Amino acid sequence: MAPQLAWIGLGNMGRGMVKNLAEKADLGGNPVIIFNRTSSRAEQLSQELGADKAKAVSSIAEAVKPADIVFTCVGDDKAIEETIGSALEGSPKGKLFVDCSTVHPDTTDKLAKMVTDAGAEFVACPVFGAPAMATSGQLICVLAGSAAAVDKVKPYTTGVMGRAIIDYSGEPQGAATRLKIIGNTFILNMVETLSEGHVLAEKSGLGSDRLHQFIEAMFPGPYTAYSNRMREGDYYKREEPLFAVDLARKDAGHAMALAKTHGCRMKGVEVADAHLAEVKEHEGSKGDIAGIYGAVRQEGGLKFENQK
């Protein structure tokens, strides 16, 4: 008999991940139970997927009680601690909790202890990829926890939510989020490098279009995608960010704190975080990580917006 799945949290990533679970996983005829703090999001997704694929509920307790495996994916450390705390108030023994949130490794290890002390299992499963990759099932899933628990999660990764896994079976759950935090600094530094390059190309007379030709030929994939977002003004035009400035700063803060703990620095991240602070000041909560381009433009004497 297929286990009953529940999902808590429907941000930009969670929505696509639930969609793939509902449409591709072996559910044994059971709809995925979904809960989100903003209930309208869960209800809308449930309607889109159909009653046989997804069922929206109005509380964490309603999601957890009938579930065998509970996936969580929320915005920050405080939110996931509160979510897991609420989930453990019932009878969690024998259940498996799988957290896909991007949080500090110490938080992950704290959650693991909370869950196992309550008689349940815990696997950390942060993911790499943009929201579009979540929708298309192309994420990279990082798994850590007991080998037996990780094996229970694998059927929902490659070919369902993701295209590949990084397997840390048998290692502390914090190993997965440690990789996630360090890995996200590559994204921050990529956006910083692209922003500086485009501004210099514009100010030196080369032009952004010509620089983009090089980026497209040399660095297809994320570099080209972010370069296009900058050139087309997407970094400030969209109503809802793809990678919100507050979440990007949270990740940067975790990376810098982790580096300090281990006696080193991430100077590139420090520069990017300072620019993110300017994005927040200019754009507020709708600011996106790609808005670093606007901050670098301002430093170079240009307007934040490249098409106004």
Side-chain angles (χ1 to χ4, degrees):
M1 182 180 295
Q4 173 67 64
L5 306 186
W7 188 283
I8 299 173
L10 287 176
N12 286 341
M13 298 292 287
R15 182 182 175 85
M17 295 165 79
V18 171
K19 178 178 179 294
N20 283 299
L21 280 176
E23 294 179 346
K24 299 177 184 177
D26 178 9
L27 302 177
N30 299 317
V32 179
I33 302 169
I34 52 178
F35 168 79
N36 191 64
R37 185 173 56 182
T38 303
S39 59
S40 59
R41 288 190 176 186
E43 291 165 0
Q44 181 182 13
L45 181 57
S46 177
Q47 291 173 4
E48 289 176 8
L49 294 172
D52 61 324
K53 297 292 186 182
K55 174 186 176 182
V57 295
S58 59
S59 70
I60 290 176
E62 283 184 85
V64 173
K65 186 176 180 180
D68 301 300
I69 301 177
V70 181
F71 288 87
T72 52
C73 188
V74 298
D76 57 36
D77 300 55
K78 180 181 178 182
I80 190 57
E81 287 193 38
E82 291 176 350
T83 297
I84 294 296
S86 296
L88 296 179
E89 289 176 359
S91 300
K93 288 186 178 181
K95 297 182 186 295
L96 170 60
F97 291 84
V98 184
D99 185 41
C100 303
S101 309
T102 300
V103 295
H104 194 285
D106 290 349
T107 299
T108 299
D109 288 334
K110 178 180 178 181
L111 295 173
K113 186 176 188 306
M114 289 170 58
V115 171
T116 54
D117 284 351
E121 296 178 293
F122 184 80
V123 169
C125 181
V127 298
F128 287 106
M133 294 172 69
T135 300
S136 61
Q138 294 297 302
L139 298 172
I140 297 172
C141 304
V142 187
L143 299 168
S146 74
V150 168
D151 282 345
K152 295 177 185 178
V153 181
K154 286 180 179 178
Y156 308 107
T157 55
T158 306
V160 180
M161 294 191 297
R163 62 181 173 85
I165 64 170
I166 298 174
D167 190 349
Y168 289 159
S169 294
E171 296 193 35
Q173 290 85 349
T177 41
R178 190 173 296 112
L179 176 64
K180 172 62 173 171
I181 291 299
I182 296 172
N184 272 11
T185 68
F186 284 61
I187 299 171
L188 279 166
N189 286 319
M190 173 186 68
V191 176
E192 179 70 32
T193 297
L194 285 168
S195 299
E196 293 176 6
H198 273 295
V199 169
L200 179 56
E202 181 172 344
K203 297 210 68 176
S204 68
L206 175 67
S208 285
D209 289 344
R210 288 184 175 179
L211 178 65
H212 182 74
Q213 289 178 332
F214 157 73
I215 294 167
E216 194 170 36
M218 192 73 180
F219 304 111
Y223 274 85
T224 296
Y226 270 100
S227 178
N228 269 324
R229 292 190 65 203
M230 293 172 187
R231 293 165 63 242
E232 295 169 2
D234 179 78
Y235 67 95
Y236 68 88
K237 290 180 178 179
R238 61 174 47 250
E239 289 301 317
E240 185 175 344
L242 285 179
F243 192 158
V245 62
D246 290 336
L247 296 181
R249 294 207 70 196
K250 178 259 297 179
D251 291 355
H254 284 337
M256 291 185 288
L258 188 63
K260 184 177 180 180
T261 297
H262 294 283
C264 56
R265 289 178 65 182
M266 305 199 84
K267 293 186 177 181
V269 176
E270 293 171 14
V271 172
D273 184 57
H275 285 142
L276 286 170
E278 295 177 29
V279 175
K280 175 71 174 183
E281 182 177 353
H282 188 87
E283 295 281 270
S285 60
K286 70 183 284 285
D288 186 279
I289 188 174
I292 287 175
Y293 177 46
V296 176
R297 285 175 59 83
Q298 286 183 317
E299 283 186 353
L302 303 171
K303 292 183 178 179
F304 186 97
E305 299 83 2
N306 67 343
Q307 294 180 23
K308 284 188 178 180

